[in-house]
Amino acid sequence: MDSTMQSPPLLISSILEYGSTIHADQEVVTCTDTDGSARRMTYAEVGRRSAQLAHALRGLGIEGDNRVATFMWNNAEHLIAYLAVPSMGAVLHALNIRLFPQQLVYITTHAGNEVVIVDNTLAGPFSQLLPHLTTLRHVIVNGPVDDATREALGAPDHIEAVHDFYGLLEGQPESYDWPRDLDENCASSMCYTSGTTGNPKGVAYSHRSNYLHSGAVGMALGVGQGDRLLTVVPLFHANAWGFPYLCMLAGATLVMPDRFLQAEPLARLIEREKVTSGGGVPTIWNDLVRYLDEHRPDVSSVQRLMVGGSACPPALMRAFQDRHDIEIIHGWGMTEMSPVGTLAIPPAGVEEGSDAYWRYRTAQGRLLPGVEARLIGPDGSEQPWDGEAVGELEVRGPWITASYYANGTESEAERDEMAAKFHDGWLRTGDVGALTRDGFLVLTDRAKDVIKSGGEWISSVDLENEIMAHPAVVEASVIGVPDEKWGERPLATVVVAEGAEVSAAELRTFLEGKVAHWQLPERWSFIDEVPKTSVGKFDKKVLRSRFAQGELAVERLD
Ligand code: ADP
């Protein structure tokens, strides 16, 4: 039997129209200085500006599924692009400004971007890349730039013109007849994984996947009109966790830090804007909590912060909760999953502060409705959801990619590598862990980071979490290194807090009783900083190569 329901396509334009009319007076707030001062724009104006941008892009020849790129911080104009480009039927590609130049050249060309919107504060470095970004025809600059930069942007032969963002919008109509007949399954936007090996791989989100994902994340987090969401997670990384779209749907205020991402300006922005919630990777919150401890700004408006992208050390969660009464919500996901797959919200009835409560809180989280999962053990068999059995996690669902974006230029090896990420219609996450009966995911490692010692697995993440719980330690990253007797053993690299002192032997004693005796690292290296990837995760690839080059001073305990 057919249903009797209407089925208009789920489109980004309906998110834009809903947010800009129903929540017309809500705002996007953009930080403008290190003291946390900010400019604001209502969602009604975001709606008008989005219409103007769409008209302007049509004028530059953007049609069909042409790609429009951004090279921007989190700010109001980036939000406008996030809404306008998909709404008109084109595809938004937010470039990760922190990628290596050759990766940026690769993804811009691979995606076939034709127009790019660049923040003025990034225009200098961008102009150096531009001669290599040969698919681009137009550059739109957000904010004033000096003559030399403008000239450099216009210099490459393939660039037809350089425009000023608001100059281009001026005089354009403030409404747009957004196409209603778009297929909800067509691409709205794309993101590339940061590519720890080989070229970054592209994921193309659909209008439908974004719509459903935003709704599911918003529901799980309980985001509402009173929320003021500090979006530290960049709009160019992992689809910004769906925050821009879910705030427009929920009528929550978006607080955008622009380029002011250090702990001090963030704390001031939080204080001035009475932020209630936010999202970012652990390194951002780690810096913030140290600042809060020392300077004690008034952050009493904050109820909870979402953390994901890499494992959140339990000590960090405790620090926020115990010292600042801020709940940290742990989440797990991937660019390939739009990105959110789980959120760690304990089941109702679990007593706050109990052991069970903390087990739930420190887990990667509970599967969102819509995300199906299974665990595949080392022998290829499906593992039970008993919280013990460990396997590689595979997932499927309406906001999980079924393939990577290919344009026909990929080598056979790349095609094989991309195909190998899928298994009978499931995405292989590359993450290893267990699932509890009630759908909580506990990751023990990334498949490639797990340390194989004498036939047993050691979780690098467990060791890191325990080491980082030591008060003298700021950061710790553990990698597997070759060992004659055991095949591989853990090497703990540690960053000690300024003014503090701790020895390898003391740290090892500290770990005793917290992890199995045979897992205690005998190799230790004190370093100034853990190298980070473009999106702020511990970069173990760099650590491994430093170790291989003999660049790490390693102390060995017997
Ligand atoms: P990239 O591939 O560019 O680093 P992604 O955000 O897509 O960016 O990376 C996804 C991976 O990040 C996951 O497969 C997982 O290994 C890791 N990750 C994300 N969230 C968590 C978390 N809460 N705990 C542990 N690992 C996480």
Side-chain angles (χ1 to χ4, degrees):
M1 180 169 108
D2 286 341
S3 86
T4 59
M5 291 296 108
Q6 303 180 10
S7 59
L10 303 175
L11 298 177
I12 302 295
S13 56
S14 53
I15 299 179
L16 169 59
E17 286 194 322
Y18 184 84
S20 59
T21 53
I22 307 294
H23 298 302
D25 297 335
Q26 286 291 26
E27 291 176 330
V28 51
V29 177
T30 306
C31 186
T32 52
D33 210 334
T34 48
D35 64 359
S37 46
R39 59 192 168 98
R40 33 198 89 239
M41 186 185 285
T42 63
Y43 285 172
E45 186 175 349
V46 168
R48 292 193 293 273
R49 296 297 193 185
S50 298
Q52 289 184 309
L53 178 61
H55 284 291
L57 290 170
R58 279 274 182 263
L60 299 183
I62 289 297
E63 53 185 36
D65 64 355
N66 288 169
R67 261 71 89 191
V68 176
T70 54
F71 197 77
M72 305 174 87
W73 302 106
N74 287 6
N75 52 35
E77 291 72 23
H78 207 168
L79 174 68
I80 292 167
Y82 237 71
L83 293 159
V85 174
S87 292
M88 68 189 284
V91 181
L92 178 91
H93 179 195
L95 296 166
N96 179 346
I97 62 171
R98 301 209 179 89
L99 289 182
F100 294 121
Q102 64 269 32
Q103 289 181 315
L104 276 166
V105 172
Y106 175 81
I107 66 172
T108 308
T109 320
H110 188 258
N113 301 322
E114 297 192 28
V115 172
V116 65
I117 309 174
V118 186
D119 272 336
N120 60 342
T121 50
L122 298 166
F126 186 76
S127 68
Q128 293 171 16
L129 279 177
L130 198 53
H132 309 284
L133 310 179
T134 50
T135 56
L136 287 173
R137 298 184 290 110
H138 289 273
V139 180
I140 303 172
V141 186
N142 178 35
V145 281
D146 58 40
D147 290 347
T149 309
R150 178 171 282 267
E151 208 168 300
L153 289 170
D157 282 348
H158 54 95
I159 298 301
E160 291 172 24
V162 180
H163 315 265
D164 167 65
F165 186 85
Y166 284 106
L168 193 66
L169 268 50
E170 209 178 288
Q172 299 287 356
E174 293 187 347
S175 66
Y176 193 100
D177 192 11
W178 304 114
R180 300 251 157 229
D181 54 352
L182 280 180
D183 180 347
E184 63 181 15
N185 288 305
C186 72
S188 62
S189 42
M190 50 195 317
C191 266
Y192 281 71
T193 61
S194 43
T196 37
T197 53
N199 282 323
K201 291 192 272 298
V203 171
Y205 305 114
S206 67
H207 289 259
R208 174 185 154 85
S209 68
N210 265 317
Y211 202 108
L212 297 175
H213 171 260
S214 309
V217 176
M219 183 182 72
L221 286 176
V223 176
Q225 292 169 45
D227 274 309
R228 302 176 65 78
L229 222 77
L230 177 65
T231 307
V232 182
V233 50
L235 267 65
F236 56 71
H237 179 231
N239 206 21
W241 301 358
F243 281 12
Y245 299 140
L246 81 84
C247 282
M248 293 293 287
L249 286 171
T253 303
L254 267 168
V255 181
M256 303 288 221
D258 201 86
R259 63 186 193 281
F260 305 100
L261 294 166
Q262 304 73 21
E264 183 172 350
L266 284 181
R268 292 183 172 194
L269 185 64
I270 290 172
E271 189 169 24
R272 286 174 87 134
E273 291 300 328
K274 303 269 173 285
V275 162
T276 60
S277 183
V281 290
T283 38
I284 291 274
W285 300 142
N286 200 10
D287 289 349
L288 182 69
V289 82
R290 280 165 200 281
Y291 182 88
L292 300 184
D293 286 349
E294 202 172 321
H295 300 276
R296 297 269 149 197
D298 178 9
V299 291
S300 54
S301 56
V302 184
Q303 292 150 9
R304 68 185 94 91
L305 296 172
M306 185 175 156
V307 62
S310 50
C312 178
L316 181 59
M317 282 189 195
R318 295 271 191 166
F320 270 104
Q321 182 124 354
D322 298 346
R323 302 207 286 270
H324 304 283
D325 202 20
I326 294 173
E327 200 183 13
I328 294 281
I329 309 268
H330 199 190
W332 163 85
M334 302 171 74
T335 301
E336 290 85 338
M337 301 176 67
S338 293
V340 185
T342 64
L343 285 169
I345 297 168
V350 175
E351 192 193 335
E352 205 176 310
S354 63
D355 286 352
Y357 171 84
W358 279 108
R359 264 200 311 280
Y360 282 120
R361 288 280 307 280
T362 53
Q364 266 63 27
R366 197 175 217 175
L367 293 166
L368 291 187
V371 177
E372 279 183 82
R374 66 180 186 185
L375 289 172
I376 304 295
D379 62 355
S381 70
E382 213 173 313
Q383 302 296 302
W385 292 25
D386 59 6
E388 299 285 330
V390 168
E392 180 181 348
L393 187 73
E394 298 189 345
V395 287
R396 66 180 181 192
W399 55 84
I400 296 170
T401 201
S403 62
Y404 289 102
Y405 170 68
N407 66 6
T409 60
E410 299 76 21
S411 67
E412 202 175 318
E414 279 174 319
R415 280 203 299 275
D416 289 349
E417 196 201 327
M418 293 196 295
K421 289 284 285 183
F422 300 92
H423 179 194
D424 297 339
W426 295 74
L427 170 73
R428 308 165 82 132
T429 64
D431 289 323
V432 172
L435 280 160
T436 63
R437 257 189 304 278
D438 49 358
F440 273 80
L441 172 68
V442 181
L443 287 187
T444 46
D445 233 325
R446 270 192 139 165
K448 60 181 185 302
D449 291 337
V450 76
I451 300 156
K452 293 159 199 111
S453 172
E456 298 281 350
W457 282 4
I458 300 179
S459 159
S460 63
V461 175
D462 283 354
L463 284 174
E464 286 160 7
N465 284 342
E466 294 300 349
I467 300 169
M468 284 194 277
H470 191 286
V473 175
V474 182
E475 284 175 339
S477 181
V478 177
I479 55 169
V481 296
D483 182 276
E484 268 184 23
K485 184 163 173 202
W486 301 106
E488 216 175 40
R489 289 293 298 159
L491 161 67
T493 65
V494 178
V495 182
V496 176
E498 229 177 87
E501 258 184 60
V502 68
S503 68
E506 281 164 342
L507 286 175
R508 198 172 133 111
T509 310
F510 178 74
L511 289 187
E512 271 168 19
K514 299 192 170 88
V515 298
H517 189 74
W518 61 272
Q519 300 188 342
L520 290 173
E522 43 290 297
R523 293 171 178 84
W524 296 79
S525 181
F526 291 93
I527 57 178
D528 294 337
E529 196 188 344
V530 174
K532 311 271 176 4
T533 68
S534 62
V535 289
K537 303 183 190 189
F538 288 178
D539 197 339
K540 298 196 177 180
K541 188 169 46 88
V542 172
L543 277 178
R544 284 191 198 101
S545 102
R546 280 194 197 158
F547 174 80
Q549 310 283 321
E551 290 169 10
L552 294 179
V554 178
E555 184 180 341
R556 193 165 171 160
L557 306 173
D558 289 321

Short mmCIF file of all heavy atoms in Angstrom, two decimals, residues 96 192-196 237-238 241 282 307-312 330-337 339 342 363-364 429-431 443 445-446 448 461 533-535 537, ligand 1:
data_model
loop_
_atom_site.label_atom_id
_atom_site.label_comp_id
_atom_site.label_asym_id
_atom_site.label_seq_id
_atom_site.Cartn_x
_atom_site.Cartn_y
_atom_site.Cartn_z
N ASN A 96 39.80 22.69 3.84
CA ASN A 96 40.48 22.67 5.13
C ASN A 96 41.75 23.52 5.01
O ASN A 96 42.73 23.11 4.40
CB ASN A 96 40.82 21.22 5.49
CG ASN A 96 41.55 21.09 6.81
OD1 ASN A 96 42.04 22.09 7.36
ND2 ASN A 96 41.61 19.88 7.33
N TYR A 192 36.72 16.50 2.42
CA TYR A 192 37.75 15.47 2.21
C TYR A 192 38.31 15.09 3.58
O TYR A 192 38.46 15.94 4.45
CB TYR A 192 38.86 16.01 1.30
CG TYR A 192 38.49 16.00 -0.17
CD1 TYR A 192 37.54 16.90 -0.66
CD2 TYR A 192 39.05 15.09 -1.05
CE1 TYR A 192 37.18 16.89 -2.01
CE2 TYR A 192 38.70 15.07 -2.39
CZ TYR A 192 37.76 15.97 -2.87
OH TYR A 192 37.41 15.95 -4.20
N THR A 193 38.58 13.81 3.75
CA THR A 193 39.25 13.39 4.98
C THR A 193 40.66 13.96 4.93
O THR A 193 41.19 14.19 3.84
CB THR A 193 39.35 11.86 5.10
OG1 THR A 193 40.12 11.41 4.00
CG2 THR A 193 37.99 11.21 5.07
N SER A 194 41.27 14.17 6.10
CA SER A 194 42.57 14.84 6.03
C SER A 194 43.66 13.93 5.50
O SER A 194 44.75 14.39 5.21
CB SER A 194 42.93 15.47 7.37
OG SER A 194 42.62 14.60 8.41
N GLY A 195 43.36 12.66 5.31
CA GLY A 195 44.27 11.80 4.56
C GLY A 195 45.59 11.56 5.26
O GLY A 195 46.61 12.14 4.90
N THR A 196 45.57 10.67 6.28
CA THR A 196 46.82 10.40 6.97
C THR A 196 47.76 9.61 6.08
O THR A 196 48.96 9.65 6.25
CB THR A 196 46.54 9.65 8.29
OG1 THR A 196 45.48 8.75 8.07
CG2 THR A 196 46.18 10.59 9.40
N HIS A 237 35.82 21.17 8.53
CA HIS A 237 36.20 19.82 8.96
C HIS A 237 34.97 19.01 9.33
O HIS A 237 34.18 19.43 10.17
CB HIS A 237 37.17 19.86 10.16
CG HIS A 237 37.55 18.49 10.63
ND1 HIS A 237 37.47 18.08 11.92
CD2 HIS A 237 37.98 17.41 9.93
CE1 HIS A 237 37.85 16.83 12.02
NE2 HIS A 237 38.17 16.40 10.83
N ALA A 238 34.86 17.85 8.70
CA ALA A 238 33.81 16.89 9.06
C ALA A 238 32.44 17.58 9.17
O ALA A 238 31.70 17.36 10.13
CB ALA A 238 34.17 16.18 10.36
N TRP A 241 30.13 19.04 12.21
CA TRP A 241 29.27 18.23 13.09
C TRP A 241 27.79 18.55 12.92
O TRP A 241 26.97 18.30 13.81
CB TRP A 241 29.68 18.39 14.57
CG TRP A 241 31.10 17.99 14.85
CD1 TRP A 241 32.00 17.47 13.97
CD2 TRP A 241 31.79 18.06 16.10
NE1 TRP A 241 33.20 17.23 14.59
CE2 TRP A 241 33.09 17.59 15.89
CE3 TRP A 241 31.41 18.50 17.38
CZ2 TRP A 241 34.04 17.52 16.92
CZ3 TRP A 241 32.34 18.44 18.39
CH2 TRP A 241 33.64 17.95 18.16
N PRO A 282 39.45 17.53 21.53
CA PRO A 282 39.97 17.58 22.89
C PRO A 282 41.07 18.61 23.11
O PRO A 282 41.11 19.25 24.17
CB PRO A 282 40.51 16.16 23.12
CG PRO A 282 39.75 15.29 22.18
CD PRO A 282 39.42 16.15 21.00
N VAL A 307 32.65 17.05 22.75
CA VAL A 307 34.03 16.81 22.33
C VAL A 307 34.08 15.55 21.47
O VAL A 307 33.40 14.57 21.75
CB VAL A 307 34.97 16.68 23.56
CG1 VAL A 307 34.60 15.51 24.44
CG2 VAL A 307 36.42 16.56 23.14
N GLY A 308 34.84 15.62 20.39
CA GLY A 308 34.96 14.46 19.52
C GLY A 308 36.12 14.67 18.57
O GLY A 308 36.83 15.67 18.67
N GLY A 309 36.29 13.73 17.66
CA GLY A 309 37.39 13.85 16.70
C GLY A 309 38.56 12.98 17.12
O GLY A 309 39.25 12.42 16.30
N SER A 310 38.81 12.91 18.42
CA SER A 310 39.70 11.89 18.96
C SER A 310 39.25 11.65 20.40
O SER A 310 38.41 12.39 20.92
CB SER A 310 41.18 12.26 18.85
OG SER A 310 41.40 13.54 19.33
N ALA A 311 39.80 10.60 21.01
CA ALA A 311 39.29 10.18 22.32
C ALA A 311 39.48 11.30 23.35
O ALA A 311 40.55 11.90 23.43
CB ALA A 311 40.01 8.93 22.77
N CYS A 312 38.45 11.55 24.13
CA CYS A 312 38.57 12.57 25.17
C CYS A 312 39.12 11.92 26.44
O CYS A 312 38.49 11.00 26.98
CB CYS A 312 37.21 13.18 25.45
SG CYS A 312 37.28 14.41 26.75
N HIS A 330 30.93 13.33 25.22
CA HIS A 330 31.86 12.69 24.31
C HIS A 330 31.08 12.20 23.08
O HIS A 330 29.99 11.68 23.22
CB HIS A 330 32.48 11.50 25.05
CG HIS A 330 33.75 10.99 24.45
ND1 HIS A 330 34.33 9.81 24.85
CD2 HIS A 330 34.55 11.49 23.50
CE1 HIS A 330 35.44 9.63 24.16
NE2 HIS A 330 35.60 10.64 23.34
N GLY A 331 31.65 12.40 21.91
CA GLY A 331 31.01 11.91 20.70
C GLY A 331 32.04 11.28 19.78
O GLY A 331 33.23 11.58 19.88
N TRP A 332 31.56 10.41 18.93
CA TRP A 332 32.47 9.76 17.98
C TRP A 332 31.85 9.85 16.59
O TRP A 332 30.62 9.77 16.43
CB TRP A 332 32.68 8.29 18.36
CG TRP A 332 33.25 7.45 17.25
CD1 TRP A 332 34.57 7.30 16.93
CD2 TRP A 332 32.51 6.67 16.30
NE1 TRP A 332 34.70 6.47 15.85
CE2 TRP A 332 33.46 6.07 15.43
CE3 TRP A 332 31.15 6.42 16.09
CZ2 TRP A 332 33.08 5.24 14.39
CZ3 TRP A 332 30.78 5.60 15.04
CH2 TRP A 332 31.74 5.01 14.20
N GLY A 333 32.71 10.01 15.61
CA GLY A 333 32.20 10.02 14.24
C GLY A 333 33.34 10.12 13.26
O GLY A 333 34.51 10.04 13.62
N MET A 334 32.99 10.27 12.01
CA MET A 334 33.96 10.34 10.93
C MET A 334 33.42 11.27 9.85
O MET A 334 32.20 11.36 9.69
CB MET A 334 34.15 8.96 10.27
CG MET A 334 34.58 7.86 11.17
SD MET A 334 34.50 6.29 10.30
CE MET A 334 35.92 6.41 9.22
N THR A 335 34.32 11.87 9.10
CA THR A 335 33.91 12.65 7.94
C THR A 335 32.92 11.85 7.10
O THR A 335 31.92 12.38 6.61
CB THR A 335 35.16 13.00 7.10
OG1 THR A 335 36.05 13.72 7.95
CG2 THR A 335 34.83 13.81 5.89
N GLU A 336 33.21 10.56 6.97
CA GLU A 336 32.38 9.67 6.14
C GLU A 336 30.98 9.49 6.71
O GLU A 336 30.10 8.95 6.06
CB GLU A 336 33.04 8.28 6.05
CG GLU A 336 34.32 8.21 5.23
CD GLU A 336 35.59 8.59 6.01
OE1 GLU A 336 35.47 9.28 7.03
OE2 GLU A 336 36.68 8.18 5.58
N MET A 337 30.77 9.91 7.98
CA MET A 337 29.49 9.68 8.65
C MET A 337 28.76 11.00 8.93
O MET A 337 27.90 11.04 9.81
CB MET A 337 29.71 8.95 9.97
CG MET A 337 30.39 7.59 9.81
SD MET A 337 30.73 6.85 11.42
CE MET A 337 29.06 6.54 11.99
N PRO A 339 29.29 14.09 10.57
CA PRO A 339 30.12 12.95 10.94
C PRO A 339 29.61 12.15 12.14
O PRO A 339 30.21 11.17 12.50
CB PRO A 339 31.40 13.66 11.38
CG PRO A 339 30.89 14.88 12.08
CD PRO A 339 29.61 15.27 11.38
N THR A 342 27.90 8.54 17.38
CA THR A 342 27.51 8.26 18.77
C THR A 342 27.64 9.52 19.62
O THR A 342 28.45 10.40 19.32
CB THR A 342 28.43 7.20 19.41
OG1 THR A 342 29.76 7.72 19.48
CG2 THR A 342 28.44 5.88 18.66
N ALA A 363 32.75 6.53 27.64
CA ALA A 363 32.65 5.74 26.39
C ALA A 363 32.53 6.72 25.23
O ALA A 363 32.27 7.91 25.44
CB ALA A 363 31.42 4.85 26.44
N GLN A 364 32.73 6.20 24.00
CA GLN A 364 32.59 7.10 22.84
C GLN A 364 31.14 7.52 22.66
O GLN A 364 30.86 8.54 22.05
CB GLN A 364 33.10 6.40 21.57
CG GLN A 364 34.55 6.70 21.24
CD GLN A 364 35.52 6.22 22.30
OE1 GLN A 364 35.25 5.27 23.03
NE2 GLN A 364 36.66 6.87 22.39
N THR A 429 35.15 1.30 9.55
CA THR A 429 35.57 2.55 10.18
C THR A 429 37.07 2.60 10.45
O THR A 429 37.63 3.68 10.64
CB THR A 429 34.85 2.76 11.52
OG1 THR A 429 35.26 1.71 12.40
CG2 THR A 429 33.34 2.75 11.35
N GLY A 430 37.71 1.44 10.52
CA GLY A 430 39.13 1.44 10.92
C GLY A 430 39.29 1.63 12.42
O GLY A 430 40.41 1.74 12.92
N ASP A 431 38.18 1.68 13.14
CA ASP A 431 38.22 1.84 14.60
C ASP A 431 37.93 0.50 15.26
O ASP A 431 37.06 -0.25 14.81
CB ASP A 431 37.20 2.88 15.06
CG ASP A 431 37.60 4.28 14.65
OD1 ASP A 431 38.81 4.57 14.69
OD2 ASP A 431 36.72 5.06 14.27
N LEU A 443 35.75 2.57 22.24
CA LEU A 443 36.85 2.32 21.31
C LEU A 443 38.12 2.05 22.09
O LEU A 443 38.39 2.72 23.09
CB LEU A 443 37.08 3.54 20.41
CG LEU A 443 36.05 3.81 19.32
CD1 LEU A 443 36.53 4.94 18.43
CD2 LEU A 443 35.78 2.56 18.49
N ASP A 445 41.06 1.58 20.12
CA ASP A 445 42.13 2.12 19.29
C ASP A 445 41.68 2.30 17.86
O ASP A 445 40.61 1.85 17.47
CB ASP A 445 43.35 1.18 19.29
CG ASP A 445 44.62 1.92 19.66
OD1 ASP A 445 44.74 3.09 19.28
OD2 ASP A 445 45.46 1.33 20.35
N ARG A 446 42.55 2.94 17.08
CA ARG A 446 42.41 2.87 15.63
C ARG A 446 43.13 1.59 15.22
O ARG A 446 44.16 1.25 15.81
CB ARG A 446 43.10 4.06 14.98
CG ARG A 446 42.16 5.22 14.81
CD ARG A 446 42.74 6.28 13.91
NE ARG A 446 41.67 6.75 13.05
CZ ARG A 446 41.70 7.85 12.33
NH1 ARG A 446 42.75 8.60 12.31
NH2 ARG A 446 40.68 8.20 11.60
N LYS A 448 45.11 0.91 13.05
CA LYS A 448 46.54 1.01 12.74
C LYS A 448 47.39 1.51 13.91
O LYS A 448 48.60 1.52 13.83
CB LYS A 448 46.75 1.88 11.50
CG LYS A 448 46.25 3.29 11.59
CD LYS A 448 46.52 3.98 10.25
CE LYS A 448 46.16 5.43 10.28
NZ LYS A 448 44.78 5.73 10.60
N VAL A 461 45.39 4.19 23.40
CA VAL A 461 44.51 5.22 23.97
C VAL A 461 44.37 5.04 25.49
O VAL A 461 44.41 6.01 26.25
CB VAL A 461 43.12 5.17 23.29
CG1 VAL A 461 42.16 6.13 23.94
CG2 VAL A 461 43.26 5.49 21.81
N THR A 533 47.67 16.80 13.71
CA THR A 533 47.24 16.83 12.31
C THR A 533 46.59 18.18 12.03
O THR A 533 46.43 18.99 12.93
CB THR A 533 46.19 15.74 12.02
OG1 THR A 533 44.99 16.09 12.72
CG2 THR A 533 46.66 14.37 12.46
N SER A 534 46.17 18.36 10.78
CA SER A 534 45.57 19.64 10.38
C SER A 534 44.32 19.95 11.18
O SER A 534 43.88 21.09 11.22
CB SER A 534 45.24 19.61 8.90
OG SER A 534 44.29 18.60 8.66
N VAL A 535 43.69 18.93 11.76
CA VAL A 535 42.48 19.20 12.52
C VAL A 535 42.69 18.99 14.02
O VAL A 535 41.74 18.83 14.78
CB VAL A 535 41.29 18.36 12.00
CG1 VAL A 535 40.85 18.88 10.65
CG2 VAL A 535 41.62 16.89 11.93
N LYS A 537 44.40 16.60 15.79
CA LYS A 537 44.53 15.30 16.45
C LYS A 537 46.00 14.94 16.60
O LYS A 537 46.83 15.40 15.81
CB LYS A 537 43.86 14.22 15.60
CG LYS A 537 42.42 14.50 15.32
CD LYS A 537 41.83 13.35 14.54
CE LYS A 537 40.45 13.74 14.06
NZ LYS A 537 39.73 12.63 13.50
P1 ADP B 1 40.31 12.74 9.62
O1 ADP B 1 40.17 11.42 8.94
O2 ADP B 1 40.40 13.87 8.70
O3 ADP B 1 41.22 12.78 10.80
P2 ADP B 1 37.78 12.37 10.84
O4 ADP B 1 37.19 13.29 11.83
O5 ADP B 1 36.90 11.90 9.78
O6 ADP B 1 38.95 13.13 10.27
O7 ADP B 1 38.40 11.15 11.61
C1 ADP B 1 37.58 10.12 12.07
C2 ADP B 1 38.31 9.28 13.05
O8 ADP B 1 38.62 10.03 14.22
C3 ADP B 1 37.52 8.10 13.56
O9 ADP B 1 37.56 7.02 12.66
C4 ADP B 1 38.23 7.80 14.87
O10 ADP B 1 39.39 7.03 14.68
C5 ADP B 1 38.64 9.16 15.35
N1 ADP B 1 37.69 9.62 16.36
C6 ADP B 1 36.68 10.49 16.21
N2 ADP B 1 36.04 10.69 17.38
C7 ADP B 1 36.65 9.91 18.30
C8 ADP B 1 36.45 9.65 19.70
N3 ADP B 1 35.51 10.25 20.39
N4 ADP B 1 37.28 8.77 20.29
C9 ADP B 1 38.25 8.15 19.61
N5 ADP B 1 38.49 8.36 18.31
C10 ADP B 1 37.70 9.22 17.66
#
